[in-house]
Amino acid sequence: MHFLVLAICCSVSVSVLFKLCKRFNVVTEQMIAFGYIMALSLSYFLLRPDFNGLSFTEFFIQSEAKPIFLTLGVLLPVGFMVMSKAIEYGGIVRTDAAQRLALFLQIIAAVVIFGETLTDLRIAGVALAFLALFCLLFKPAGTVGNMAKAAFALGGVWLIWGTSGILYKKIALMGGAFPTSLFIAFSLAAMLIFSYLIIKRTRWTVPSFVAGMLLGCLNFGNILFYIYAHQHFKENPTIVFACMDIGVICLGAVVGALFFKERISKINSAGIGFGILAIFLLYGEKLFA
């Protein structure tokens, strides 16, 4: 369970960092790029990826995990870019909702792809998790401009975050081979985002570099602990998918209220309660087994 807690804390910290970008004149795209350099360095020195005597190119071509790290290598930087557009056109609340409602895709994958059998208690926990998400993300209706762009960007966030979560589960099932796939995914992500910025002829800034180093550490920790959680609950991916989403929303709401003076309504407070109960139901069988 501690891996889930650490992954949740890292994920919320990433959101806080993005929220602080404008205050410190950080260019988001540059921060993301430098972040992948840091994540790449951490994965190499801490996880020690093993290429089994093959060159980088040979492993890249021959590995059975190639579809996974190729897809992740594209989704990692594109996901952040799409998220920035979703926030621009649809707002932070709706973007957050799109991310967390990707849980729907992940629950389907848990049953269809990973073969998990849901018990009655776990089904109740999933249902309560969706109720908690609705309450936590509830805000009074407002006007949204550029509806077509907003719908497209929010749909992209939903699909990318759902797919990424499923791919992390796939990487977790590789056991000792996951450091190599993760290293290659970070390499591809770094190459893509830097190529984009070079073509764009961006002007590099020191605050973006510093923020990127911090983002890289947090993003690496988030992904690593998330994979470790899936390895720990390898037979029950639903626990990780649901608890991660609910935990991030609950902790995010508390951090927002304490440090950014964001208002928590009675419905949001009820959502936190429902979320805690949902986690208890999902995790209860393991707790008392």
Side-chain angles (χ1 to χ4, degrees):
M1 189 65 176
H2 61 286
F3 289 129
L4 263 176
V5 173
L6 290 171
I8 289 168
C9 290
C10 287
S11 181
V12 172
S13 297
V14 167
S15 297
V16 171
L17 183 60
F18 270 94
K19 197 175 183 69
L20 294 173
C21 280
K22 288 186 178 179
R23 294 188 186 181
F24 298 96
N25 298 317
V26 171
V27 180
T28 303
E29 296 165 345
Q30 292 183 28
M31 178 179 72
I32 294 170
F34 289 125
Y36 281 121
I37 294 298
M38 173 58 79
L40 185 62
S41 301
L42 290 172
S43 67
Y44 182 80
F45 290 108
L46 297 182
L47 299 182
R48 298 292 183 182
D50 182 13
F51 294 97
N52 296 320
L54 297 174
S55 68
F56 185 92
T57 303
E58 289 172 332
F59 185 89
F60 184 84
I61 294 174
Q62 297 177 16
S63 174
E64 294 179 359
K66 181 170 63 176
I68 295 176
F69 60 66
L70 275 176
T71 306
L72 264 180
V74 174
L75 290 183
L76 285 172
V78 171
F80 279 124
M81 302 295 287
V82 172
M83 184 174 71
S84 67
K85 291 299 181 183
I87 292 173
E88 178 182 349
Y89 296 125
I92 294 176
V93 172
R94 290 174 178 83
T95 302
D96 201 15
Q99 283 181 262
R100 299 310 155 194
L101 289 177
L103 173 64
F104 178 75
L105 288 177
Q106 296 164 348
I107 295 299
I108 292 176
V111 177
V112 176
I113 298 177
F114 303 113
E116 180 179 5
T117 301
L118 297 180
T119 63
D120 291 340
L121 187 63
R122 203 155 290 158
I123 291 172
V126 170
L128 196 58
F130 279 109
L131 176 60
L133 283 171
F134 172 79
C135 293
L136 285 162
L137 297 170
F138 176 82
K139 295 287 183 182
T143 301
V144 182
N146 301 308
M147 290 301 296
K149 292 180 180 179
F152 184 78
L154 290 170
V157 168
W158 179 76
L159 183 60
I160 289 171
W161 252 253
T163 304
S164 297
I166 295 168
L167 291 176
Y168 289 141
K169 171 62 178 177
K170 283 281 192 180
I171 287 180
L173 294 176
M174 295 176 186
F178 89 83
T180 306
S181 293
L182 195 61
F183 178 83
I184 295 177
F186 283 143
S187 300
L188 289 171
M191 286 189 290
L192 283 175
I193 188 67
F194 271 103
S195 296
Y196 167 77
L197 290 173
I198 291 172
I199 292 172
K200 190 180 176 181
R201 296 183 178 180
T202 188
R203 297 182 64 181
W204 306 99
T205 67
V206 174
S208 301
F209 172 78
V210 174
M213 294 298 100
L214 180 56
L215 175 64
C217 293
L218 294 173
N219 192 31
F220 175 78
N222 176 29
I223 295 172
L224 180 65
F225 294 132
Y226 186 68
I227 290 174
Y228 281 160
H230 270 299
Q231 289 181 332
H232 183 73
F233 295 106
K234 58 183 178 180
E235 303 298 329
N236 307 112
T238 298
I239 292 177
V240 181
F241 289 143
C243 290
M244 181 69 183
D245 281 354
I246 294 299
V248 167
I249 291 290
C250 289
L251 181 58
V254 173
V255 170
L258 292 178
F259 297 100
F260 298 102
K261 308 303 179 184
E262 295 180 358
R263 181 176 174 273
I264 298 180
S265 67
K266 291 181 179 180
I267 294 180
N268 298 150
S269 298
I272 294 176
F274 288 141
I276 294 172
L277 182 57
I279 292 173
F280 180 80
L281 290 176
L282 290 164
Y283 187 65
E285 290 180 357
K286 285 287 183 181
L287 190 64
F288 298 111

PDB file of all heavy atoms in Angstrom, residues 147-185:
ATOM      1  N   MET A 147     -16.042  25.175 -27.745  1.00  0.00           N
ATOM      2  CA  MET A 147     -16.547  23.892 -27.287  1.00  0.00           C
ATOM      3  C   MET A 147     -15.957  22.721 -28.071  1.00  0.00           C
ATOM      4  O   MET A 147     -15.648  21.676 -27.496  1.00  0.00           O
ATOM      5  CB  MET A 147     -18.077  23.869 -27.373  1.00  0.00           C
ATOM      6  CG  MET A 147     -18.768  24.770 -26.359  1.00  0.00           C
ATOM      7  SD  MET A 147     -18.348  24.342 -24.644  1.00  0.00           S
ATOM      8  CE  MET A 147     -19.043  22.695 -24.528  1.00  0.00           C
ATOM      9  N   ALA A 148     -15.815  22.868 -29.389  1.00  0.00           N
ATOM     10  CA  ALA A 148     -15.279  21.776 -30.204  1.00  0.00           C
ATOM     11  C   ALA A 148     -13.833  21.469 -29.811  1.00  0.00           C
ATOM     12  O   ALA A 148     -13.454  20.309 -29.642  1.00  0.00           O
ATOM     13  CB  ALA A 148     -15.370  22.139 -31.683  1.00  0.00           C
ATOM     14  N   LYS A 149     -13.010  22.535 -29.652  1.00  0.00           N
ATOM     15  CA  LYS A 149     -11.623  22.343 -29.257  1.00  0.00           C
ATOM     16  C   LYS A 149     -11.537  21.747 -27.856  1.00  0.00           C
ATOM     17  O   LYS A 149     -10.703  20.870 -27.581  1.00  0.00           O
ATOM     18  CB  LYS A 149     -10.875  23.678 -29.299  1.00  0.00           C
ATOM     19  CG  LYS A 149     -10.693  24.243 -30.705  1.00  0.00           C
ATOM     20  CD  LYS A 149      -9.941  25.550 -30.663  1.00  0.00           C
ATOM     21  CE  LYS A 149      -9.749  26.141 -32.057  1.00  0.00           C
ATOM     22  NZ  LYS A 149      -9.036  27.433 -32.011  1.00  0.00           N
ATOM     23  N   ALA A 150     -12.401  22.220 -26.970  1.00  0.00           N
ATOM     24  CA  ALA A 150     -12.408  21.708 -25.604  1.00  0.00           C
ATOM     25  C   ALA A 150     -12.758  20.226 -25.589  1.00  0.00           C
ATOM     26  O   ALA A 150     -12.099  19.427 -24.916  1.00  0.00           O
ATOM     27  CB  ALA A 150     -13.413  22.498 -24.753  1.00  0.00           C
ATOM     28  N   ALA A 151     -13.803  19.846 -26.343  1.00  0.00           N
ATOM     29  CA  ALA A 151     -14.235  18.453 -26.379  1.00  0.00           C
ATOM     30  C   ALA A 151     -13.128  17.562 -26.934  1.00  0.00           C
ATOM     31  O   ALA A 151     -12.867  16.459 -26.415  1.00  0.00           O
ATOM     32  CB  ALA A 151     -15.500  18.324 -27.225  1.00  0.00           C
ATOM     33  N   PHE A 152     -12.457  18.033 -27.986  1.00  0.00           N
ATOM     34  CA  PHE A 152     -11.382  17.256 -28.607  1.00  0.00           C
ATOM     35  C   PHE A 152     -10.213  17.078 -27.636  1.00  0.00           C
ATOM     36  O   PHE A 152      -9.677  15.975 -27.474  1.00  0.00           O
ATOM     37  CB  PHE A 152     -10.912  17.958 -29.877  1.00  0.00           C
ATOM     38  CG  PHE A 152      -9.870  17.192 -30.638  1.00  0.00           C
ATOM     39  CD1 PHE A 152     -10.213  16.110 -31.425  1.00  0.00           C
ATOM     40  CD2 PHE A 152      -8.532  17.562 -30.560  1.00  0.00           C
ATOM     41  CE1 PHE A 152      -9.253  15.398 -32.128  1.00  0.00           C
ATOM     42  CE2 PHE A 152      -7.557  16.858 -31.247  1.00  0.00           C
ATOM     43  CZ  PHE A 152      -7.918  15.771 -32.040  1.00  0.00           C
ATOM     44  N   ALA A 153      -9.813  18.173 -26.989  1.00  0.00           N
ATOM     45  CA  ALA A 153      -8.675  18.109 -26.066  1.00  0.00           C
ATOM     46  C   ALA A 153      -9.000  17.262 -24.839  1.00  0.00           C
ATOM     47  O   ALA A 153      -8.185  16.447 -24.397  1.00  0.00           O
ATOM     48  CB  ALA A 153      -8.278  19.521 -25.633  1.00  0.00           C
ATOM     49  N   LEU A 154     -10.188  17.422 -24.280  1.00  0.00           N
ATOM     50  CA  LEU A 154     -10.580  16.653 -23.103  1.00  0.00           C
ATOM     51  C   LEU A 154     -10.704  15.168 -23.439  1.00  0.00           C
ATOM     52  O   LEU A 154     -10.334  14.304 -22.641  1.00  0.00           O
ATOM     53  CB  LEU A 154     -11.900  17.182 -22.540  1.00  0.00           C
ATOM     54  CG  LEU A 154     -11.829  18.567 -21.893  1.00  0.00           C
ATOM     55  CD1 LEU A 154     -13.226  19.096 -21.599  1.00  0.00           C
ATOM     56  CD2 LEU A 154     -10.997  18.534 -20.615  1.00  0.00           C
ATOM     57  N   GLY A 155     -11.232  14.875 -24.638  1.00  0.00           N
ATOM     58  CA  GLY A 155     -11.302  13.483 -25.072  1.00  0.00           C
ATOM     59  C   GLY A 155      -9.915  12.886 -25.228  1.00  0.00           C
ATOM     60  O   GLY A 155      -9.678  11.714 -24.892  1.00  0.00           O
ATOM     61  N   GLY A 156      -8.959  13.708 -25.711  1.00  0.00           N
ATOM     62  CA  GLY A 156      -7.577  13.254 -25.843  1.00  0.00           C
ATOM     63  C   GLY A 156      -6.959  12.948 -24.492  1.00  0.00           C
ATOM     64  O   GLY A 156      -6.267  11.932 -24.325  1.00  0.00           O
ATOM     65  N   VAL A 157      -7.203  13.802 -23.508  1.00  0.00           N
ATOM     66  CA  VAL A 157      -6.695  13.568 -22.149  1.00  0.00           C
ATOM     67  C   VAL A 157      -7.250  12.267 -21.601  1.00  0.00           C
ATOM     68  O   VAL A 157      -6.516  11.448 -21.037  1.00  0.00           O
ATOM     69  CB  VAL A 157      -7.065  14.749 -21.226  1.00  0.00           C
ATOM     70  CG1 VAL A 157      -6.809  14.394 -19.771  1.00  0.00           C
ATOM     71  CG2 VAL A 157      -6.269  15.989 -21.609  1.00  0.00           C
ATOM     72  N   TRP A 158      -8.561  12.071 -21.756  1.00  0.00           N
ATOM     73  CA  TRP A 158      -9.220  10.859 -21.256  1.00  0.00           C
ATOM     74  C   TRP A 158      -8.597   9.604 -21.870  1.00  0.00           C
ATOM     75  O   TRP A 158      -8.272   8.649 -21.165  1.00  0.00           O
ATOM     76  CB  TRP A 158     -10.715  10.935 -21.592  1.00  0.00           C
ATOM     77  CG  TRP A 158     -11.519   9.754 -21.158  1.00  0.00           C
ATOM     78  CD1 TRP A 158     -11.930   9.450 -19.888  1.00  0.00           C
ATOM     79  CD2 TRP A 158     -12.020   8.706 -21.995  1.00  0.00           C
ATOM     80  NE1 TRP A 158     -12.656   8.292 -19.882  1.00  0.00           N
ATOM     81  CE2 TRP A 158     -12.725   7.815 -21.162  1.00  0.00           C
ATOM     82  CE3 TRP A 158     -11.947   8.445 -23.365  1.00  0.00           C
ATOM     83  CZ2 TRP A 158     -13.353   6.661 -21.652  1.00  0.00           C
ATOM     84  CZ3 TRP A 158     -12.567   7.309 -23.859  1.00  0.00           C
ATOM     85  CH2 TRP A 158     -13.260   6.440 -23.013  1.00  0.00           C
ATOM     86  N   LEU A 159      -8.401   9.618 -23.188  1.00  0.00           N
ATOM     87  CA  LEU A 159      -7.868   8.450 -23.883  1.00  0.00           C
ATOM     88  C   LEU A 159      -6.396   8.215 -23.550  1.00  0.00           C
ATOM     89  O   LEU A 159      -5.970   7.076 -23.292  1.00  0.00           O
ATOM     90  CB  LEU A 159      -8.037   8.636 -25.392  1.00  0.00           C
ATOM     91  CG  LEU A 159      -7.590   7.467 -26.279  1.00  0.00           C
ATOM     92  CD1 LEU A 159      -8.377   6.211 -25.944  1.00  0.00           C
ATOM     93  CD2 LEU A 159      -7.758   7.828 -27.749  1.00  0.00           C
ATOM     94  N   ILE A 160      -5.598   9.298 -23.533  1.00  0.00           N
ATOM     95  CA  ILE A 160      -4.161   9.161 -23.279  1.00  0.00           C
ATOM     96  C   ILE A 160      -3.890   8.683 -21.859  1.00  0.00           C
ATOM     97  O   ILE A 160      -3.075   7.781 -21.636  1.00  0.00           O
ATOM     98  CB  ILE A 160      -3.440  10.498 -23.552  1.00  0.00           C
ATOM     99  CG1 ILE A 160      -3.418  10.777 -25.059  1.00  0.00           C
ATOM    100  CG2 ILE A 160      -2.005  10.471 -22.998  1.00  0.00           C
ATOM    101  CD1 ILE A 160      -2.921  12.160 -25.424  1.00  0.00           C
ATOM    102  N   TRP A 161      -4.580   9.279 -20.880  1.00  0.00           N
ATOM    103  CA  TRP A 161      -4.338   8.876 -19.486  1.00  0.00           C
ATOM    104  C   TRP A 161      -4.825   7.452 -19.230  1.00  0.00           C
ATOM    105  O   TRP A 161      -4.175   6.697 -18.508  1.00  0.00           O
ATOM    106  CB  TRP A 161      -5.001   9.864 -18.525  1.00  0.00           C
ATOM    107  CG  TRP A 161      -3.998  10.717 -17.817  1.00  0.00           C
ATOM    108  CD1 TRP A 161      -3.622  10.635 -16.508  1.00  0.00           C
ATOM    109  CD2 TRP A 161      -3.201  11.773 -18.379  1.00  0.00           C
ATOM    110  NE1 TRP A 161      -2.654  11.570 -16.233  1.00  0.00           N
ATOM    111  CE2 TRP A 161      -2.370  12.284 -17.357  1.00  0.00           C
ATOM    112  CE3 TRP A 161      -3.122  12.334 -19.650  1.00  0.00           C
ATOM    113  CZ2 TRP A 161      -1.484  13.321 -17.561  1.00  0.00           C
ATOM    114  CZ3 TRP A 161      -2.227  13.367 -19.865  1.00  0.00           C
ATOM    115  CH2 TRP A 161      -1.421  13.844 -18.831  1.00  0.00           C
ATOM    116  N   GLY A 162      -5.944   7.088 -19.827  1.00  0.00           N
ATOM    117  CA  GLY A 162      -6.436   5.721 -19.661  1.00  0.00           C
ATOM    118  C   GLY A 162      -5.488   4.712 -20.272  1.00  0.00           C
ATOM    119  O   GLY A 162      -5.155   3.686 -19.660  1.00  0.00           O
ATOM    120  N   THR A 163      -5.006   4.992 -21.486  1.00  0.00           N
ATOM    121  CA  THR A 163      -4.087   4.088 -22.175  1.00  0.00           C
ATOM    122  C   THR A 163      -2.752   4.001 -21.452  1.00  0.00           C
ATOM    123  O   THR A 163      -2.172   2.907 -21.316  1.00  0.00           O
ATOM    124  CB  THR A 163      -3.858   4.565 -23.624  1.00  0.00           C
ATOM    125  OG1 THR A 163      -5.118   4.663 -24.293  1.00  0.00           O
ATOM    126  CG2 THR A 163      -2.965   3.586 -24.365  1.00  0.00           C
ATOM    127  N   SER A 164      -2.249   5.129 -20.967  1.00  0.00           N
ATOM    128  CA  SER A 164      -0.963   5.134 -20.259  1.00  0.00           C
ATOM    129  C   SER A 164      -1.028   4.265 -19.009  1.00  0.00           C
ATOM    130  O   SER A 164      -0.094   3.495 -18.731  1.00  0.00           O
ATOM    131  CB  SER A 164      -0.571   6.564 -19.883  1.00  0.00           C
ATOM    132  OG  SER A 164      -0.370   7.356 -21.029  1.00  0.00           O
ATOM    133  N   GLY A 165      -2.117   4.368 -18.251  1.00  0.00           N
ATOM    134  CA  GLY A 165      -2.265   3.559 -17.050  1.00  0.00           C
ATOM    135  C   GLY A 165      -2.246   2.073 -17.364  1.00  0.00           C
ATOM    136  O   GLY A 165      -1.654   1.263 -16.626  1.00  0.00           O
ATOM    137  N   ILE A 166      -2.884   1.692 -18.464  1.00  0.00           N
ATOM    138  CA  ILE A 166      -2.914   0.290 -18.878  1.00  0.00           C
ATOM    139  C   ILE A 166      -1.512  -0.174 -19.294  1.00  0.00           C
ATOM    140  O   ILE A 166      -1.079  -1.278 -18.958  1.00  0.00           O
ATOM    141  CB  ILE A 166      -3.913   0.095 -20.039  1.00  0.00           C
ATOM    142  CG1 ILE A 166      -5.343   0.383 -19.545  1.00  0.00           C
ATOM    143  CG2 ILE A 166      -3.830  -1.327 -20.602  1.00  0.00           C
ATOM    144  CD1 ILE A 166      -6.356   0.509 -20.659  1.00  0.00           C
ATOM    145  N   LEU A 167      -0.786   0.682 -20.004  1.00  0.00           N
ATOM    146  CA  LEU A 167       0.565   0.326 -20.443  1.00  0.00           C
ATOM    147  C   LEU A 167       1.528   0.200 -19.267  1.00  0.00           C
ATOM    148  O   LEU A 167       2.426  -0.646 -19.277  1.00  0.00           O
ATOM    149  CB  LEU A 167       1.084   1.370 -21.437  1.00  0.00           C
ATOM    150  CG  LEU A 167       0.394   1.380 -22.800  1.00  0.00           C
ATOM    151  CD1 LEU A 167       0.925   2.525 -23.667  1.00  0.00           C
ATOM    152  CD2 LEU A 167       0.586   0.055 -23.525  1.00  0.00           C
ATOM    153  N   TYR A 168       1.348   1.042 -18.234  1.00  0.00           N
ATOM    154  CA  TYR A 168       2.189   0.908 -17.039  1.00  0.00           C
ATOM    155  C   TYR A 168       1.954  -0.446 -16.372  1.00  0.00           C
ATOM    156  O   TYR A 168       2.880  -1.065 -15.844  1.00  0.00           O
ATOM    157  CB  TYR A 168       1.893   2.038 -16.046  1.00  0.00           C
ATOM    158  CG  TYR A 168       2.394   3.390 -16.493  1.00  0.00           C
ATOM    159  CD1 TYR A 168       1.637   4.536 -16.276  1.00  0.00           C
ATOM    160  CD2 TYR A 168       3.611   3.525 -17.118  1.00  0.00           C
ATOM    161  CE1 TYR A 168       2.083   5.782 -16.691  1.00  0.00           C
ATOM    162  CE2 TYR A 168       4.071   4.768 -17.537  1.00  0.00           C
ATOM    163  CZ  TYR A 168       3.301   5.884 -17.323  1.00  0.00           C
ATOM    164  OH  TYR A 168       3.754   7.117 -17.736  1.00  0.00           O
ATOM    165  N   LYS A 169       0.706  -0.901 -16.391  1.00  0.00           N
ATOM    166  CA  LYS A 169       0.403  -2.228 -15.853  1.00  0.00           C
ATOM    167  C   LYS A 169       1.115  -3.300 -16.680  1.00  0.00           C
ATOM    168  O   LYS A 169       1.667  -4.260 -16.133  1.00  0.00           O
ATOM    169  CB  LYS A 169      -1.111  -2.454 -15.868  1.00  0.00           C
ATOM    170  CG  LYS A 169      -1.544  -3.895 -15.528  1.00  0.00           C
ATOM    171  CD  LYS A 169      -1.124  -4.313 -14.126  1.00  0.00           C
ATOM    172  CE  LYS A 169      -1.598  -5.718 -13.811  1.00  0.00           C
ATOM    173  NZ  LYS A 169      -1.132  -6.170 -12.464  1.00  0.00           N
ATOM    174  N   LYS A 170       1.125  -3.133 -18.004  1.00  0.00           N
ATOM    175  CA  LYS A 170       1.829  -4.068 -18.877  1.00  0.00           C
ATOM    176  C   LYS A 170       3.320  -4.111 -18.534  1.00  0.00           C
ATOM    177  O   LYS A 170       3.935  -5.185 -18.477  1.00  0.00           O
ATOM    178  CB  LYS A 170       1.649  -3.648 -20.339  1.00  0.00           C
ATOM    179  CG  LYS A 170       0.301  -3.989 -20.939  1.00  0.00           C
ATOM    180  CD  LYS A 170       0.245  -5.455 -21.326  1.00  0.00           C
ATOM    181  CE  LYS A 170      -0.972  -5.751 -22.181  1.00  0.00           C
ATOM    182  NZ  LYS A 170      -1.031  -7.184 -22.558  1.00  0.00           N
ATOM    183  N   ILE A 171       3.900  -2.919 -18.303  1.00  0.00           N
ATOM    184  CA  ILE A 171       5.323  -2.848 -17.952  1.00  0.00           C
ATOM    185  C   ILE A 171       5.572  -3.528 -16.615  1.00  0.00           C
ATOM    186  O   ILE A 171       6.569  -4.233 -16.425  1.00  0.00           O
ATOM    187  CB  ILE A 171       5.795  -1.380 -17.908  1.00  0.00           C
ATOM    188  CG1 ILE A 171       5.902  -0.816 -19.334  1.00  0.00           C
ATOM    189  CG2 ILE A 171       7.146  -1.259 -17.212  1.00  0.00           C
ATOM    190  CD1 ILE A 171       6.352   0.629 -19.386  1.00  0.00           C
ATOM    191  N   ALA A 172       4.650  -3.344 -15.668  1.00  0.00           N
ATOM    192  CA  ALA A 172       4.795  -3.967 -14.356  1.00  0.00           C
ATOM    193  C   ALA A 172       4.862  -5.482 -14.466  1.00  0.00           C
ATOM    194  O   ALA A 172       5.569  -6.155 -13.690  1.00  0.00           O
ATOM    195  CB  ALA A 172       3.631  -3.556 -13.451  1.00  0.00           C
ATOM    196  N   LEU A 173       4.131  -6.059 -15.419  1.00  0.00           N
ATOM    197  CA  LEU A 173       4.109  -7.516 -15.591  1.00  0.00           C
ATOM    198  C   LEU A 173       5.412  -8.054 -16.177  1.00  0.00           C
ATOM    199  O   LEU A 173       5.617  -9.262 -16.202  1.00  0.00           O
ATOM    200  CB  LEU A 173       2.944  -7.915 -16.507  1.00  0.00           C
ATOM    201  CG  LEU A 173       1.537  -7.661 -15.938  1.00  0.00           C
ATOM    202  CD1 LEU A 173       0.480  -8.011 -16.970  1.00  0.00           C
ATOM    203  CD2 LEU A 173       1.324  -8.462 -14.658  1.00  0.00           C
ATOM    204  N   MET A 174       6.296  -7.172 -16.640  1.00  0.00           N
ATOM    205  CA  MET A 174       7.573  -7.613 -17.195  1.00  0.00           C
ATOM    206  C   MET A 174       8.561  -8.009 -16.113  1.00  0.00           C
ATOM    207  O   MET A 174       9.628  -8.547 -16.399  1.00  0.00           O
ATOM    208  CB  MET A 174       8.199  -6.490 -18.045  1.00  0.00           C
ATOM    209  CG  MET A 174       7.403  -6.133 -19.263  1.00  0.00           C
ATOM    210  SD  MET A 174       8.166  -4.730 -20.140  1.00  0.00           S
ATOM    211  CE  MET A 174       6.922  -4.426 -21.383  1.00  0.00           C
ATOM    212  N   GLY A 175       8.231  -7.696 -14.855  1.00  0.00           N
ATOM    213  CA  GLY A 175       9.130  -8.043 -13.759  1.00  0.00           C
ATOM    214  C   GLY A 175      10.426  -7.275 -13.840  1.00  0.00           C
ATOM    215  O   GLY A 175      10.448  -6.050 -13.929  1.00  0.00           O
ATOM    216  N   GLY A 176      11.556  -8.002 -13.862  1.00  0.00           N
ATOM    217  CA  GLY A 176      12.863  -7.361 -13.872  1.00  0.00           C
ATOM    218  C   GLY A 176      13.204  -6.650 -15.159  1.00  0.00           C
ATOM    219  O   GLY A 176      14.193  -5.916 -15.221  1.00  0.00           O
ATOM    220  N   ALA A 177      12.396  -6.855 -16.208  1.00  0.00           N
ATOM    221  CA  ALA A 177      12.699  -6.228 -17.501  1.00  0.00           C
ATOM    222  C   ALA A 177      12.129  -4.826 -17.626  1.00  0.00           C
ATOM    223  O   ALA A 177      12.462  -4.115 -18.584  1.00  0.00           O
ATOM    224  CB  ALA A 177      12.143  -7.099 -18.638  1.00  0.00           C
ATOM    225  N   PHE A 178      11.312  -4.392 -16.674  1.00  0.00           N
ATOM    226  CA  PHE A 178      10.645  -3.098 -16.841  1.00  0.00           C
ATOM    227  C   PHE A 178      11.596  -1.899 -16.836  1.00  0.00           C
ATOM    228  O   PHE A 178      11.322  -0.897 -17.502  1.00  0.00           O
ATOM    229  CB  PHE A 178       9.524  -2.924 -15.808  1.00  0.00           C
ATOM    230  CG  PHE A 178       9.927  -2.304 -14.505  1.00  0.00           C
ATOM    231  CD1 PHE A 178      10.014  -0.923 -14.377  1.00  0.00           C
ATOM    232  CD2 PHE A 178      10.196  -3.087 -13.390  1.00  0.00           C
ATOM    233  CE1 PHE A 178      10.377  -0.340 -13.173  1.00  0.00           C
ATOM    234  CE2 PHE A 178      10.559  -2.509 -12.179  1.00  0.00           C
ATOM    235  CZ  PHE A 178      10.653  -1.143 -12.080  1.00  0.00           C
ATOM    236  N   PRO A 179      12.754  -1.926 -16.116  1.00  0.00           N
ATOM    237  CA  PRO A 179      13.635  -0.749 -16.173  1.00  0.00           C
ATOM    238  C   PRO A 179      14.102  -0.415 -17.590  1.00  0.00           C
ATOM    239  O   PRO A 179      14.225   0.759 -17.951  1.00  0.00           O
ATOM    240  CB  PRO A 179      14.814  -1.156 -15.285  1.00  0.00           C
ATOM    241  CG  PRO A 179      14.250  -2.153 -14.337  1.00  0.00           C
ATOM    242  CD  PRO A 179      13.257  -2.920 -15.153  1.00  0.00           C
ATOM    243  N   THR A 180      14.363  -1.452 -18.410  1.00  0.00           N
ATOM    244  CA  THR A 180      14.843  -1.214 -19.769  1.00  0.00           C
ATOM    245  C   THR A 180      13.760  -0.561 -20.618  1.00  0.00           C
ATOM    246  O   THR A 180      14.013   0.406 -21.345  1.00  0.00           O
ATOM    247  CB  THR A 180      15.285  -2.541 -20.416  1.00  0.00           C
ATOM    248  OG1 THR A 180      16.240  -3.179 -19.566  1.00  0.00           O
ATOM    249  CG2 THR A 180      15.912  -2.292 -21.774  1.00  0.00           C
ATOM    250  N   SER A 181      12.530  -1.082 -20.533  1.00  0.00           N
ATOM    251  CA  SER A 181      11.427  -0.512 -21.308  1.00  0.00           C
ATOM    252  C   SER A 181      11.122   0.915 -20.864  1.00  0.00           C
ATOM    253  O   SER A 181      10.838   1.789 -21.690  1.00  0.00           O
ATOM    254  CB  SER A 181      10.182  -1.383 -21.170  1.00  0.00           C
ATOM    255  OG  SER A 181      10.372  -2.632 -21.792  1.00  0.00           O
ATOM    256  N   LEU A 182      11.199   1.153 -19.555  1.00  0.00           N
ATOM    257  CA  LEU A 182      10.945   2.494 -19.038  1.00  0.00           C
ATOM    258  C   LEU A 182      12.023   3.462 -19.514  1.00  0.00           C
ATOM    259  O   LEU A 182      11.728   4.601 -19.909  1.00  0.00           O
ATOM    260  CB  LEU A 182      10.893   2.457 -17.512  1.00  0.00           C
ATOM    261  CG  LEU A 182      10.288   3.678 -16.811  1.00  0.00           C
ATOM    262  CD1 LEU A 182       8.837   3.878 -17.239  1.00  0.00           C
ATOM    263  CD2 LEU A 182      10.369   3.517 -15.298  1.00  0.00           C
ATOM    264  N   PHE A 183      13.272   3.009 -19.514  1.00  0.00           N
ATOM    265  CA  PHE A 183      14.388   3.840 -19.974  1.00  0.00           C
ATOM    266  C   PHE A 183      14.191   4.231 -21.442  1.00  0.00           C
ATOM    267  O   PHE A 183      14.380   5.392 -21.821  1.00  0.00           O
ATOM    268  CB  PHE A 183      15.707   3.078 -19.796  1.00  0.00           C
ATOM    269  CG  PHE A 183      16.909   3.822 -20.290  1.00  0.00           C
ATOM    270  CD1 PHE A 183      17.529   4.763 -19.489  1.00  0.00           C
ATOM    271  CD2 PHE A 183      17.428   3.579 -21.560  1.00  0.00           C
ATOM    272  CE1 PHE A 183      18.644   5.466 -19.941  1.00  0.00           C
ATOM    273  CE2 PHE A 183      18.534   4.270 -22.024  1.00  0.00           C
ATOM    274  CZ  PHE A 183      19.149   5.213 -21.212  1.00  0.00           C
ATOM    275  N   ILE A 184      13.809   3.275 -22.268  1.00  0.00           N
ATOM    276  CA  ILE A 184      13.621   3.560 -23.695  1.00  0.00           C
ATOM    277  C   ILE A 184      12.427   4.489 -23.895  1.00  0.00           C
ATOM    278  O   ILE A 184      12.465   5.393 -24.739  1.00  0.00           O
ATOM    279  CB  ILE A 184      13.433   2.256 -24.492  1.00  0.00           C
ATOM    280  CG1 ILE A 184      14.709   1.424 -24.432  1.00  0.00           C
ATOM    281  CG2 ILE A 184      13.079   2.551 -25.947  1.00  0.00           C
ATOM    282  CD1 ILE A 184      14.628   0.086 -25.128  1.00  0.00           C
ATOM    283  N   ALA A 185      11.361   4.301 -23.127  1.00  0.00           N
ATOM    284  CA  ALA A 185      10.187   5.170 -23.234  1.00  0.00           C
ATOM    285  C   ALA A 185      10.554   6.612 -22.900  1.00  0.00           C
ATOM    286  O   ALA A 185      10.158   7.555 -23.602  1.00  0.00           O
ATOM    287  CB  ALA A 185       9.072   4.680 -22.308  1.00  0.00           C
TER     288      ALA A 185
END
